[in-house]
Amino acid sequence: MICESLKTCFDDPGKFLGEWFVLLPALVLLLAAAAAVVLRNLIHATLCLTLSFIALGILFIALGAEFVGFVQLLVYVGAVAMLIVFAILLTRPERLAKSDTALSGLGPAGGALAGFVTLGVLLGFLFTSPIAKKSLPGPASAPVAEIGHALMGDYKAALIVVGVLLTAALVGAAVLAMEDKNS
Amino acid sequence: MNVTLDGETVVKLQPVFGYLHRNHEKIAEGNSWLAAVPYTDRLDYICPLTNNWAYTLAVETLAGLEVPERAEYIRIITAELTRLQNHVAFMGFILADMGAWGSALMYAFREREKILDLFEALTGARMMCNYMRFGGCRCDLPSGWLESAGQLVEGFPAFLDEMEALLTGNEILLARLQGVAPLTPERAINGGLSGPILRAAGVDYDIRKVDNYGLYSRFKFRVPRGRVGDCYDRFMIRVLEARESVEILKQALVGIPDGPVVNPKAKQRGFRPPAGEAYGRIEGPKGELGFYLISDGSDRPYRFRVRPPSLINLTLLEELCLGTKIADVMVILGSIDIVLGEVDR
Amino acid sequence: MELLERAPVELKNAFLRVLGSLGVPEGMLAILSAVLIIGTVIGVFLGLFALMSVMERKILARVQNRYGPNRAGPFGLFQPVADGIKMLTKEDLVPRAADKVVHFLAPVVMMVPALLVLAILPYGRDMVPVELESGILFFFAVGAGTEVAIFMAGWASNNKYSVLGAMRAIAQMISYEIPLVISAVTAAMIAGSLSPSVIVAAQGGFAAGFLPHWFVTTPWGFTAALLFYIGALAESNRSPFDLPEGESELVAGHLTEYSGFKYATFFMAEYIGMFAICGMFVTLFLGGWQAPLPFLTVVPSWIWFFGKVCFVAFTMVWVRATLPRLRVDHLLAFAWKFLLPMSFAAFLSAACWHYAGRGPAAWFLSLVVVGIPYLVLGLSFTSRFSVSRRTYLFSE
Amino acid sequence: MTEILEAIQSAFPSADVGILTNPSPCAQHSLLVAGKDALDVAKFLRDGLGYDFCSNVSGVDWPPKKVREVVVRKETVDGVESEVKETIEREVPGYLEVVYHLFSIAKRLGPVILRLRTGNRSDEVSLPSLTPVWKSADFQEREIYDLYGIHFEGHPDLRRLLMWEEFTDYPMRKDYVAPDDYEYEPTPHDEILAKVGPPKEVA
Amino acid sequence: MVDEALKADLQKRGIFVASFEDLYNWGRKSSLWPLQFGLACCAIEMIATAAARFDLARFGAEVFRPSPRQADLMIIAGTVTKKMAPLVVRLYNQMPEPKYVIAMGACAISGGPFKEGYNVLKGIDRYIPVDVAIPGCPPRPEALLEGLVKLQEKIQAQRLFGPNRARHTDTCEAGDYPVPTYGAHDLEPPLNPQVFQPAPARKDLE
Amino acid sequence: MNFPGIGLLKGFVVTARNFLGSYVEKDRLTTRQYPEERPKLPENSRSFPFLVFDGEDPEAGMRCVACKICEKECPPQCIYIIQDRDAAGKPLKRPRIFDIDISVCMSCQICVEVCPFESIRMDTDYELSSFDRFGSLVLDKSKLLKSNAYYHGIHPTEASETDARIEADRKKKEAAAAAKAEAARKATAEKAAKAAHPPEETK
């Protein structure tokens, strides 16, 4: 098998790379996600989470969803992960050393149980959902322009609603922050 | 400096001194009166000549010595040149504290070099001049010195204009200096602040005008003072003072009389002032620089005390810094304009 | 000239043809071609970095009336070589309290995005290493990785200055990324594509026979270019936005604990990142590889591109030589209260320009649309910080 | 100076204040105030007389010294009154002194010199702190505490200023002996030669 | 290693041979980044040296690094007090090898004019090895440049192997110098005998 | 109220002017390329002390008489003098050892001022850095002694003044000696005369 893959590697590197380009990020994604759950060190866990975000973005790209992949990277790696980091750092690192949370009494067993329950629920929905019954479409890239037209055309109502919602949230956040300053 | 922070805001600040405590006072008490002069150079090592003057003034007060007129003029010229270079260096340093990549500092040092050239031509050393003596100055001006000093003074306003174009209108600088650490006149007086900081707080007090030491009463100059007392005022007061110093220099370079430069009655080696004590002070570039001397009639000072403006100007540092951002601390410290050699002595 | 224009590509093709005639399989050739392109691009940028590191010091020196490095080699041009030799052979210290793995990984992570973003820049006519439809997006998405690296560096050093520096860096980069992206979007919007080569193509041609159609010549483009420039300064942590490295307050920020080769890597990544963002700036607003005057089109396009990049880099050094550092709260306020609204104004202005027909009327309209917000925001922003002229009392 | 003394005495009839004359030509005489009255006098000087600026605070050490005095005594020997000159050696006890130089900013007056004296030179001498009156005395009093070992009562933050906390000596006192880390001298002075004997190899 | 004679011979014929050692030394000497750290009077002269008139940058040595981790050269400019000495030694320890020390000015070399002070360290060479000592109080900027050139010559002459090889290639020597602590009367210990090796006093006194 | 941004632009203009000016204006490129271009030091410039000798032979022409005034007056005490003695142990008027530790010297010039024999003067050589603090920074007599011609080379005005003063002193001394000799001669002559004519007087 190794011989075979080596052969493909030599004959058609594009195909060979293409396969690994999908498999590798997926593997990294899983491992990093697992590490993010298992690691005791909060910052390490966050870094692993970031890694899994990156891997997910690459996976999207490999699957042809370029736009989604980049947005995933930009938003999750660039903003969400950094916000998590900020939140951790602002809550005083000395307290992080002994992370005595309410759940820690339950031990790893509780965590594992919660994880498996979530996984089960997700899988259940996945298999019962009608989408899963459809056959997978072939890899097709969605051009950016099309996405744009779709957003501005078919889904413009949804876009506006989301926009208004986000604005309201932003204003709310600003108001909250201001009150905090005054008090 | 120990700073306690909440996020980026200062909640407690305790300056720690002594890292440059060189036992100036103790050494001076073990040496002759004359030997203390070169040590005063090293107090505030940016402006040695004013330190010389303060010490010799205190000794002259103690011993009741007269100073010839020409020597007084030379003292005023060198002191004002010192003030110029100190204020110019201050502008550069405060910019460096603000993180500008050195251009202002380099321009300041470019001009400072010219002043140092004058000092070297006069006294033989760039920084540690060791120039003034009891009852006068060590040596007379070399030939051509007045002309080159005149040239420098002529060109100086143009340089100040350039610095102001670079700095005083700059929005970033304004935003970083204005409104930072304002000070009321009452607090400033009670805190013992002196010099440009005191005047920036709006107090009209310049020892050159109050004590009329030297021959300052002969010169026409103005004393600028601020209204708000924040870092920007402290900055601007120095710019304006530098311009006034240029005015004084112009008058002094024209009016300098001929004559001896040292009182022939003053004995330098083995100088023994009568027993007693005296406090002499001048308006140094950084504030009130005073020397408190006690003589027991012997050839060495019994007590030699420096009133260091830099140390006492720091008294209110904590008060000024509370509630500001950590980046402001450096700027506030810069705006007070301290020299560690004088803080710790 | 034509030959020179195509020289890089033709050289590569010729080399590959030779290899192909030697019986190297097709797939392998494709990989080799990619490797060649990557090697060239990285090589060129490393060379630029080396040149820049000495030119920056020389320019700063000249601004400060001195010579700058001039002893190592002719005109001091070998200075970066000396620096490189020294850095490579320097002892690599890792603080005892540091998180060793993360400490090691940070410079690597820093280097990756800096190199990746080079892939989508159009270096000349038909010279884009990777033709991506959403190239601009790729640029910003990958660029976000530097934040992770800076955070890793700051945190792993386990030094209070480093952590503080890293936090500042992240806050700053997140805040400035938004106006940066929005001002970049204006160009994409007018060109109608997120692909860098299309954007460059849209800036081709000359108005009235000599005025290039670069976006920077329009009111909205000028505003957006300025905003992008400021954002780029902040993203590459350059003065006056070098707070993370604020020497007078924070030692060297997140780099405090790095020595030797790791520090060199960081340094290199920062400079290459800076070049990349300069390249983006050139692509978006300065017409990429387009020549500035019609008769100059004979000069190869890639020379124009790199010339413009070097010019932008020079202005960055100039800025560094002039301005003091901002304070952290001013910095954030500036991003959110001035840059962000201004970038929206530029956005709106671009739309006006487009719908008003891109003529003189459109020019005027878009000028008004950016001018008024500028004045209003500028004045309110400056008065907010009580910036005012003062008068001083004098007593005789 | 005498007006100030009179003003003080009229404000605080019980206060122990006197004038110490200065023989130097400058004639900057000073007010010698007892420690117990110092705070009141200082407040009066600031609020009543306008001396709002405390410029300089110095410590002075006066170690005990032997004074030779010529005392003239009248003696009546055998009904004949005669003056007998006698030299007696008297030991003057040492004391530490703190000197405050005060100025008035508004009235442009000064200096008024205020002296406080301790009773002896032991390690636990104390004086009232004038920092509550003049904030500017803060660092200077700390410095005097550091270098002379005078404890200032009522000082808000009395710690060593210039030397490190672990340091135990008071180096500005006249009898302080510096640690014997004398500079290695490539060519010793005669006196050092005499002290250390013939030159030896320094390890 | 190229034979010196051969090298000279080749150079005469227009062929320049640079051994690895020379290149390494050249790199080190042309890129001496000083630590941004000044103590007293001499620090002002150090800034003046970096400023326009004298321009330290010409030697590639203007990159004043605020962090000891990136610095190669420690210019001890000014009086080292006993209170400061432990911090100086710690900073020195934090610098990565190869590292050099210039003692600028009388105070740094020997305590200078302040050597009689109770809080003044009588020369920084009591705790850390000094490569070049520049006398003067303060030395002129030219003197500092001259000291720097001297240091460059010293680096250029260093050998990587053999008996007289450069100090930092000698792994036997401990990298960490003991940091003195504050004692009740003085620093403890008052000097590091491994570093401080004064020449014997003059013999011709008697 | 200014148009926002003008202040920044002014700053950019200043730096740009300096950048461009550095290529054309002399005053905007003030660097002296030190090892090649040496500064022209002003005449008063000083670095470290040296000893002046007259004539050719340093030992013979040495002006120093080992009076040790400079050693005593030197503020940092960096001068070490041991007087020479002849075989019988009688002090000679010249130093056997005259060392100056320039690693301590603060270039204050006080030794020059106090020297009554015009023998110690300030040098202008500043390129004295060394790898070895103990070896080359302690200047002994052989390194310190420099000829009067050298002195004239570095401080022409001061040196000629000194020479004139020495000359005047010498003349005065000679005149005094001559006068003394004359007086002595007269005295002896008188004595002789007295001796010659004792009878007249006794008469």
Side-chain angles (χ1 to χ4, degrees):
Chain A
M1 176 170 148
I2 296 164
C3 278
E4 203 174 308
S5 62
L6 270 181
K7 197 165 172 300
T8 14
C9 165
F10 200 68
D11 289 341
D12 187 1
K15 182 165 169 275
F16 172 78
L17 278 180
E19 276 171 15
W20 283 97
F21 204 55
V22 175
L23 279 178
L24 208 65
L27 210 64
V28 172
L29 169 64
L30 284 177
L31 283 176
V37 175
V38 173
L39 283 176
R40 302 288 297 170
N41 187 324
L42 260 182
I43 300 282
H44 285 174
T46 319
L47 286 176
C48 285
L49 186 67
T50 316
L51 181 62
S52 71
F53 287 155
I54 295 172
L56 185 62
I58 295 173
L59 196 63
F60 276 131
I61 296 164
L63 289 173
E66 243 175 41
F67 186 77
V68 183
F70 294 152
V71 171
Q72 158 84 17
L73 282 180
L74 186 62
V75 174
Y76 277 84
V77 179
V80 174
M82 286 302 110
L83 285 181
I84 294 175
V85 163
F86 241 69
I88 291 172
L89 285 182
L90 283 176
T91 48
R92 308 245 175 250
E94 59 264 31
R95 250 184 272 156
L96 297 180
K98 42 175 180 17
S99 51
D100 272 334
T101 52
L103 276 175
S104 63
L106 293 172
L113 186 69
F116 277 116
V117 168
T118 318
L119 186 67
V121 170
L122 284 178
L123 283 178
F125 275 116
L126 198 61
F127 286 117
T128 52
S129 135
I131 304 166
K133 305 236 162 49
K134 282 189 190 164
S135 60
L136 289 168
S141 70
V144 184
E146 255 174 53
I147 296 176
H149 282 296
L151 275 179
M152 288 296 172
D154 300 347
Y155 300 102
K156 63 179 167 229
L159 189 71
I160 290 171
V161 169
V162 169
V164 169
L165 205 68
L166 280 176
T167 312
L170 218 72
V171 171
V175 168
L176 281 177
M178 271 179 184
E179 271 175 9
D180 190 31
K181 206 184 221 172
N182 287 343
S183 64
Chain B
M1 200 152 51
N2 280 338
V3 187
T4 313
L5 292 177
D6 175 20
E8 294 231 356
T9 309
V10 179
V11 293
K12 191 177 175 204
L13 181 142
Q14 283 184 335
V16 180
F17 306 110
Y19 290 109
L20 196 53
H21 178 43
R22 304 191 279 198
N23 329 114
H24 178 96
E25 296 180 358
K26 186 86 177 170
I27 291 174
E29 282 168 23
N31 270 336
S32 66
W33 289 89
L34 174 65
V37 179
Y39 282 100
T40 59
D41 285 338
R42 286 150 179 85
L43 266 178
D44 173 354
Y45 34 77
I46 297 183
C47 20
L49 281 163
T50 46
N51 301 345
N52 277 188
W53 194 0
Y55 174 59
T56 46
L57 187 82
V59 174
E60 284 150 13
T61 320
L62 180 67
L65 277 173
E66 291 289 319
V67 182
E69 200 173 329
R70 185 176 173 83
E72 291 282 23
Y73 266 85
I74 296 178
R75 285 182 177 189
I76 284 176
I77 291 170
T78 51
E80 293 306 320
L81 281 174
T82 307
R83 195 182 315 277
L84 272 187
Q85 60 124 330
N86 179 67
H87 286 354
V88 164
F90 161 82
M91 289 183 225
F93 280 130
I94 194 169
L95 258 281
D97 284 338
M98 263 186 262
W101 210 89
S103 290
L105 187 67
M106 296 287 171
Y107 299 152
F109 269 71
R110 184 186 76 203
E111 281 327 283
R112 185 173 174 268
E113 286 297 334
K114 295 181 187 162
I115 299 181
L116 291 189
D117 281 348
L118 285 180
F119 284 172
E120 190 176 10
L122 173 61
T123 71
R126 288 161 47 84
M127 280 171 70
M128 303 310 173
C129 303
N130 183 22
Y131 178 60
M132 293 184 194
R133 290 287 178 267
F134 313 133
C137 301
R138 197 182 69 219
C139 54
D140 203 350
L141 303 173
S143 61
W145 195 86
L146 283 174
E147 288 74 49
S148 41
Q151 269 175 14
L152 178 113
V153 171
E154 278 307 307
F156 216 81
F159 166 70
L160 283 175
D161 290 341
E162 189 180 18
M163 280 298 253
E164 285 217 62
L166 179 61
L167 303 176
T168 49
N170 186 322
E171 275 84 355
I172 296 179
L173 186 117
L174 292 177
R176 288 207 61 180
L177 291 182
Q178 294 205 340
V180 175
L183 196 60
T184 60
E186 292 76 35
R187 287 305 300 160
I189 292 174
N190 194 254
L193 306 194
S194 53
I197 313 174
L198 184 68
R199 291 191 283 276
V203 183
D204 176 19
Y205 195 76
D206 187 320
I207 298 171
R208 287 176 294 178
K209 292 275 187 195
V210 175
D211 281 10
N212 273 325
Y213 66 95
L215 292 174
Y216 272 114
S217 50
R218 289 194 192 176
F219 293 90
K220 229 172 98 60
F221 63 100
R222 303 176 302 166
V223 180
R225 65 196 143 101
R227 297 173 200 259
V228 188
D230 58 2
C231 288
Y232 185 71
D233 272 358
R234 281 170 222 148
F235 174 80
M236 280 309 290
I237 289 293
R238 280 166 174 118
V239 178
L240 296 172
E241 269 188 18
R243 292 190 184 276
E244 292 302 319
S245 287
V246 172
E247 290 304 313
I248 298 179
L249 278 169
K250 277 183 187 159
Q251 298 169 36
L253 290 173
V254 174
I256 184 164
D258 283 332
V261 293
V262 68
N263 185 340
K265 272 181 268 172
K267 187 181 167 204
Q268 307 298 336
R269 185 163 75 83
F271 181 77
R272 285 167 190 267
E277 61 171 52
Y279 179 69
R281 59 176 193 161
I282 65 161
E283 177 72 32
K286 298 198 164 56
E288 175 187 338
L289 177 64
F291 281 82
Y292 174 54
L293 304 169
I294 301 182
S295 156
D296 58 355
S298 73
D299 61 347
R300 46 189 63 181
Y302 183 77
R303 176 76 176 103
F304 179 97
R305 154 83 186 166
V306 190
R307 189 252 185 222
S310 293
L311 172 70
I312 299 168
N313 287 350
L314 283 178
T315 309
L316 293 183
L317 181 66
E318 180 170 15
E319 210 172 294
L320 290 176
C321 290
L322 289 189
T324 57
K325 299 275 177 294
I326 177 157
D328 284 337
V329 174
M330 290 314 291
V331 176
I332 295 171
L333 202 61
S335 79
I336 295 176
D337 190 16
I338 58 158
V339 153
L340 278 176
E342 197 173 71
V343 172
D344 295 338
R345 298 180 307 290
Chain C
M1 273 304 158
E2 193 58 25
L3 195 69
L4 208 59
E5 165 77 51
R6 304 290 312 151
V9 180
E10 290 303 329
L11 264 176
K12 185 198 80 185
N13 287 349
F15 181 66
L16 289 180
R17 263 198 301 281
V18 171
L19 280 185
S21 64
L22 288 177
V24 177
E26 193 80 350
M28 212 54 204
L29 279 182
I31 286 190
L32 263 178
S33 159
V35 166
L36 271 178
I37 294 174
I38 293 171
T40 318
V41 168
I42 291 182
V44 166
F45 272 89
L46 280 181
L48 267 183
F49 154 70
L51 194 68
M52 183 68 189
S53 74
V54 61
M55 284 318 287
E56 171 161 27
R57 284 160 74 176
K58 283 180 90 82
I59 293 168
L60 278 175
R62 283 290 178 167
V63 169
Q64 295 163 355
N65 308 333
R66 351 180 234 120
Y67 281 104
N70 66 356
R71 301 273 145 163
F75 303 108
L77 283 180
F78 291 169
Q79 189 64 42
V81 183
D83 287 342
I85 291 173
K86 183 206 69 180
M87 294 270 215
L88 279 174
T89 55
K90 203 109 169 102
E91 189 189 14
D92 178 37
L93 286 180
V94 182
R96 281 191 202 96
D99 189 321
K100 297 200 175 46
V101 179
V102 181
H103 190 265
F104 172 75
L105 279 177
V108 182
V109 176
M110 183 80 181
M111 205 64 198
V112 169
L115 292 180
L116 272 182
V117 292
L118 298 179
I120 52 99
L121 292 177
Y123 296 106
R125 192 171 290 133
D126 306 326
M127 275 190 246
V128 191
V130 181
E131 183 69 63
L132 268 184
E133 202 183 353
S134 45
I136 309 259
L137 200 60
F138 172 84
F139 186 90
F140 293 116
V142 174
T146 35
E147 288 163 36
V148 183
I150 287 178
F151 163 71
M152 284 165 73
W155 182 78
S157 302
N158 205 349
N159 173 321
K160 56 180 184 277
Y161 298 118
S162 306
V163 179
L164 220 57
M167 278 173 69
R168 278 188 179 185
I170 296 166
Q172 171 185 332
M173 290 172 95
I174 290 180
S175 315
Y176 279 81
E177 202 155 79
I178 297 165
L180 186 79
V181 171
I182 291 176
S183 52
V185 162
T186 52
M189 196 169 79
I190 295 300
S193 167
L194 280 172
S195 157
S197 35
V198 177
I199 291 177
V200 173
Q203 301 177 60
F206 299 92
F210 69 95
L211 200 68
H213 267 154
W214 302 352
F215 288 153
V216 75
T217 56
T218 60
W220 65 268
F222 184 72
T223 317
L226 263 185
L227 297 174
F228 189 91
Y229 186 76
I230 296 172
L233 282 177
E235 281 292 291
S236 48
N237 286 337
R238 286 192 60 88
S239 177
F241 303 102
D242 54 349
L243 277 95
E245 290 179 56
E247 280 161 25
S248 48
E249 308 134 34
L250 289 181
V251 191
H254 57 278
L255 296 178
T256 304
E257 294 289 358
Y258 278 89
S259 65
F261 191 56
K262 285 185 200 156
Y263 174 70
T265 314
F266 257 110
F267 201 62
M268 198 146 66
E270 264 181 22
Y271 270 78
I272 290 180
M274 186 186 101
F275 275 115
I277 211 152
C278 287
M280 201 51 175
F281 179 73
V282 167
T283 305
L284 288 175
F285 299 105
L286 290 186
W289 42 261
Q290 310 271 11
L293 287 170
F295 65 89
L296 287 174
T297 38
V298 288
V299 178
S301 55
W302 45 274
I303 290 187
W304 281 119
F305 178 83
F306 285 109
K308 286 177 189 174
V309 167
C310 288
F311 173 74
V312 177
F314 165 74
T315 61
M316 283 190 165
V317 178
W318 182 16
V319 169
R320 180 175 169 198
T322 309
L323 295 183
R325 193 179 294 138
L326 269 80
R327 203 169 76 192
V328 70
D329 54 336
H330 293 167
L331 177 103
L332 296 182
F334 185 60
W336 293 104
K337 293 180 184 155
F338 183 81
L339 287 186
L340 191 63
M342 272 315 290
S343 60
F344 283 129
F347 190 80
L348 208 64
S349 166
C352 290
W353 192 75
H354 179 69
Y355 285 108
R358 306 191 175 198
W363 215 88
F364 181 72
L365 185 65
S366 59
L367 182 66
V368 170
V369 172
V370 287
I372 292 174
Y374 175 71
L375 279 180
V376 171
L377 284 169
L379 291 181
S380 74
F381 193 75
T382 44
S383 64
R384 214 187 107 75
F385 291 101
S386 68
V387 175
S388 55
R389 297 270 146 209
R390 290 195 183 163
T391 50
Y392 290 89
L393 304 170
F394 288 95
S395 50
E396 290 293 327
Chain D
M1 185 55 64
T2 36
E3 301 97 72
I4 296 172
L5 181 67
E6 278 160 15
I8 293 172
Q9 274 167 344
S10 61
F12 304 99
S14 65
D16 184 2
V17 187
I19 287 188
L20 201 76
T21 47
N22 179 4
S24 140
C26 65
Q28 293 173 345
H29 309 302
S30 49
L31 292 171
L32 184 63
V33 183
K36 63 177 173 52
D37 304 320
L39 212 57
D40 289 335
V41 171
K43 277 201 183 114
F44 177 71
L45 278 170
R46 185 189 66 180
D47 302 329
L49 299 177
Y51 286 95
D52 46 5
F53 188 77
C54 172
S55 171
N56 182 28
V57 186
S58 354
V60 187
D61 178 25
W62 299 96
K65 54 184 175 187
K66 293 208 165 77
V67 182
R68 280 178 183 223
E69 282 183 344
V70 180
V71 180
V72 181
R73 235 174 353 151
K74 283 185 179 154
E75 251 180 38
T76 320
V77 183
D78 305 332
V80 183
E81 199 171 292
S82 67
E83 288 190 347
V84 176
K85 282 189 183 170
E86 195 178 4
T87 309
I88 53 167
E89 207 163 76
R90 191 160 58 88
E91 170 127 350
V92 179
Y95 53 90
L96 298 166
E97 194 175 59
V98 184
V99 186
Y100 294 81
H101 286 81
L102 311 176
F103 289 89
S104 166
I105 295 256
K107 300 181 189 161
R108 308 201 165 189
L109 293 174
V112 166
I113 304 166
L114 203 64
R115 308 180 95 92
L116 308 181
R117 279 183 185 169
T118 63
N120 55 49
R121 294 177 73 251
S122 69
D123 279 356
E124 268 105 34
V125 288
S126 67
L127 281 176
S129 163
L130 299 189
T131 305
V133 186
W134 294 289
K135 174 81 171 135
S136 52
D138 185 347
F139 286 152
Q140 306 189 63
E141 284 181 352
R142 268 180 70 187
E143 184 186 316
I144 293 166
Y145 163 71
D146 186 355
L147 303 180
Y148 285 93
I150 302 175
H151 294 260
F152 286 93
E153 283 161 19
H155 191 281
D157 180 27
L158 197 63
R159 286 175 297 125
R160 274 185 183 272
L161 183 77
L162 296 174
M163 304 301 288
W164 52 87
E165 285 291 327
E166 293 84 355
F167 198 70
T168 52
D169 303 335
Y170 301 114
M172 277 300 280
R173 291 195 182 185
K174 292 276 175 191
D175 52 0
Y176 168 77
V177 182
D180 192 20
D181 61 346
Y182 205 79
E183 166 61 350
Y184 155 78
E185 299 222 332
T187 327
H189 287 80
D190 288 355
E191 41 211 91
I192 292 170
L193 275 180
K195 197 168 84 182
V196 298
K200 59 185 177 199
E201 297 272 331
V202 182
Chain E
M1 254 359 67
V2 185
D3 189 44
E4 289 294 327
L6 178 68
K7 208 159 88 179
D9 191 39
L10 282 171
Q11 255 174 23
K12 258 179 235 153
R13 297 180 201 175
I15 305 167
F16 287 91
V17 182
S19 65
F20 168 72
E21 193 177 76
D22 288 342
L23 195 65
Y24 173 61
N25 285 343
W26 173 79
R28 279 190 299 149
K29 87 165 196 196
S30 305
S31 166
L32 285 170
W33 291 5
L35 184 62
Q36 186 178 30
F37 146 87
L39 292 168
C41 328
C42 294
I44 303 290
E45 279 304 61
M46 188 167 77
I47 297 170
T49 315
R53 172 81 69 89
F54 305 100
D55 195 14
L56 195 58
R58 290 177 292 124
F59 302 92
E62 92 278 32
V63 193
F64 280 90
R65 292 305 311 176
S67 162
R69 302 278 182 205
Q70 295 131 23
D72 316 292
L73 171 64
M74 190 180 209
I75 301 181
I76 297 173
T79 320
V80 186
T81 58
K82 286 179 184 166
K83 196 164 175 177
M84 193 68 194
L87 309 182
V88 175
V89 179
R90 199 168 300 145
L91 278 176
Y92 181 76
N93 283 341
Q94 281 172 358
M95 281 165 56
E97 292 280 3
K99 52 189 170 188
Y100 314 95
V101 178
I102 287 184
M104 178 184 178
C107 300
I109 305 173
S110 67
F114 297 97
K115 67 174 183 179
E116 291 143 77
Y118 48 87
N119 190 26
V120 176
L121 188 73
K122 280 84 186 161
I124 189 61
D125 57 351
R126 286 177 176 235
Y127 291 114
I128 56 178
V130 172
D131 290 283
V132 174
I134 308 172
C137 188
R140 296 178 65 85
E142 286 99 348
L144 176 58
L145 292 179
E146 197 245 338
L148 189 78
V149 173
K150 266 237 166 87
L151 179 63
Q152 289 186 337
E153 280 164 16
K154 177 176 178 171
I155 292 171
Q156 190 66 68
Q158 274 178 349
R159 299 274 78 102
L160 290 183
F161 308 97
N164 54 348
R165 63 188 176 182
R167 182 177 50 81
H168 67 274
T169 57
D170 204 351
T171 45
C172 311
E173 195 168 335
D176 271 6
Y177 289 85
V179 180
T181 54
Y182 295 131
H185 304 286
D186 197 1
L187 286 180
E188 280 160 8
L191 53 85
N192 179 0
Q194 278 174 326
V195 179
F196 187 62
Q197 282 151 351
R202 287 181 64 152
K203 291 275 171 51
D204 53 350
L205 289 174
E206 291 312 304
Chain F
M1 184 52 69
N2 261 328
F3 192 72
I6 290 292
L8 295 178
L9 283 181
K10 275 189 194 160
F12 282 115
V13 170
V14 169
T15 42
R17 202 165 60 204
N18 274 296
F19 176 69
L20 298 173
S22 72
Y23 289 96
V24 285
E25 277 176 64
K26 180 80 190 60
D27 196 40
R28 295 209 190 271
L29 185 64
T30 54
T31 308
R32 274 198 307 236
Q33 302 242 37
Y34 158 66
E36 294 85 23
E37 285 172 61
R38 271 150 213 281
K40 200 179 154 290
L41 294 176
E43 230 189 284
N44 271 343
S45 181
R46 61 178 195 242
S47 61
F48 299 108
F50 70 99
L51 293 171
V52 187
F53 67 85
D54 295 311
E56 297 297 314
D57 180 24
E59 284 292 324
M62 188 157 46
R63 291 181 185 170
C64 179
V65 298
C67 67
K68 297 199 182 182
I69 290 179
C70 51
E71 180 177 347
K72 249 184 236 112
E73 286 289 326
C74 175
Q77 290 160 24
C78 66
I79 304 180
Y80 310 98
I81 301 174
I82 294 179
Q83 207 169 21
D84 206 359
R85 284 163 197 277
D86 63 6
K90 208 175 123 242
L92 291 175
K93 276 203 160 184
R94 58 159 198 246
R96 184 163 64 87
I97 286 176
F98 194 114
D99 286 358
I100 293 183
D101 189 353
I102 59 166
S103 73
V104 174
C105 174
M106 70 202 268
S107 317
C108 63
Q109 206 175 1
I110 281 183
C111 47
V112 177
E113 287 167 53
V114 298
C115 180
F117 301 95
E118 323 274 355
S119 126
I120 192 162
R121 282 295 180 261
M122 296 307 276
D123 205 343
T124 52
D125 182 19
Y126 50 84
E127 292 168 321
L128 290 158
S129 65
S130 103
F131 304 130
D132 178 14
R133 161 185 168 189
F134 300 106
S136 54
L137 292 187
V138 183
L139 303 183
D140 59 14
K141 210 162 58 176
S142 64
K143 286 184 197 149
L144 283 172
L145 278 168
K146 286 173 184 171
S147 69
N148 199 13
Y150 175 83
Y151 178 38
H152 273 275
I154 54 174
H155 303 299
T157 324
E158 193 189 294
S160 10
E161 278 170 15
T162 310
D163 278 3
R165 202 159 49 234
I166 291 176
E167 190 61 20
D169 276 356
R170 199 175 53 78
K171 283 229 178 85
K172 219 187 275 167
K173 223 179 255 169
E174 266 172 19
K180 212 175 171 188
E182 184 71 14
R185 202 176 51 76
K186 258 187 200 150
T188 45
E190 266 172 27
K191 239 183 215 165
K194 275 179 199 166
H197 312 282
E200 278 176 34
E201 269 189 36
T202 44
K203 215 184 259 180

